[in-house]
Amino acid sequence: MVTIPTAVLDIPGQDATTEAVTHTGDFDRFTELLTRHWDSAYRYAYHLTGNVPDAEDLVQQAAEEALVSFRRFQPGTRFDRWLMRIVHNSFIDRIRRGRRLTVFSLDDVHASPLVADRSDDPEAAAEAALHGLVLRALQALPPEFRAAVILVDLQGLPYGDAAEILHCPVGTIRSRLHRGRLTLRELLRPHMEAVKRGEA
């Protein structure tokens, strides 16, 4: 479980909008909802960015934006979907602004895994290596394909929820998933063939 940084819930120099949330008593409700859904938002940010520092920075930024916008959150709707939409929009904004993120090319996919195994368990080591390989392959996908694959295949969301988060039709989600899965399959094919040959 990832702990929510204190800075997210104790923002110095709060502006008038944020202070209004605090003073109206909504801050406690916001904190409760954020705590409940922090892990899923962080996992989404981690798979989008491919590394811990960028993920932590992204999800903290999204949480702060959510706090400022919380007065516009509609009760009865899904807070987790609303928060992940903010995470996604923040991620896309960073790409558009040209902010430096850790980016991998197709040639990087079969380099050393992002997740280093620190155990003596061969099975755990193999699982860590595969996780790192899949994470690298995800980073090689275009952002829109990556987001769809993460939301549906890794986080298990229904197509409709993924469409709501990415603000696009369900048909677009299906198309992005199809193309993203095909690309991942091609990227991971050399590894799977090596496994079959007993070389991995």
Side-chain angles (χ1 to χ4, degrees):
M1 180 175 178
V2 179
T3 303
I4 302 177
T6 304
V8 173
L9 302 177
D10 184 23
I11 303 172
Q14 291 175 326
D15 62 20
T17 303
T18 305
E19 288 177 1
V21 171
T22 305
H23 291 163
T24 57
D26 287 342
F27 186 71
D28 289 342
R29 178 61 176 158
F30 174 81
T31 302
E32 175 193 346
L33 290 168
L34 184 65
T35 301
R36 188 186 309 166
H37 299 293
W38 179 266
D39 280 358
S40 61
Y42 176 81
R43 284 195 303 272
Y44 184 44
Y46 175 67
H47 286 111
L48 281 175
T49 62
N51 67 89
V52 171
D54 283 338
E56 290 177 343
D57 188 39
L58 178 61
V59 76
Q60 179 163 337
Q61 177 189 338
E64 292 173 2
E65 291 178 5
L67 174 59
V68 172
S69 304
F70 189 60
R71 289 188 302 173
R72 296 196 297 271
F73 173 69
Q74 299 178 356
T77 60
R78 298 286 299 270
F79 179 85
D80 57 337
R81 304 323 191 225
W82 182 72
L83 178 60
M84 283 200 285
R85 187 186 312 143
I86 295 174
V87 170
H88 180 78
N89 290 342
S90 298
F91 175 69
I92 296 301
D93 286 345
R94 287 171 177 228
I95 293 176
R96 289 173 179 165
R97 292 198 307 266
R99 179 163 179 171
R100 189 189 68 78
L101 292 170
T102 305
V103 178
F104 299 98
S105 71
L106 298 180
D107 294 334
D108 293 325
V109 172
H110 302 290
S112 58
L114 289 174
V115 180
D117 175 65
R118 295 181 174 84
S119 79
D120 296 326
D121 183 354
E123 186 175 337
E127 183 177 345
L130 180 60
H131 181 272
L133 192 66
V134 171
L135 195 57
R136 283 186 181 275
L138 277 172
Q139 304 315 301
L141 295 179
E144 63 273 16
F145 296 174
R146 188 189 320 169
V149 169
I150 293 168
L151 290 173
V152 175
D153 290 341
L154 298 186
Q155 301 210 209
L157 298 188
Y159 288 4
D161 287 4
E164 178 185 347
I165 291 169
L166 301 183
H167 200 64
C168 65
V170 170
T172 301
I173 293 295
R174 294 181 185 277
S175 174
R176 291 176 180 177
L177 274 173
H178 177 69
R179 296 172 67 182
R181 288 166 176 168
L182 284 178
T183 303
L184 281 177
R185 191 175 303 145
E186 288 305 310
L187 291 172
L188 296 173
R189 186 188 302 277
H191 174 77
M192 300 311 296
E193 291 177 348
V195 168
K196 289 179 181 178
R197 295 192 301 268
E199 299 173 4

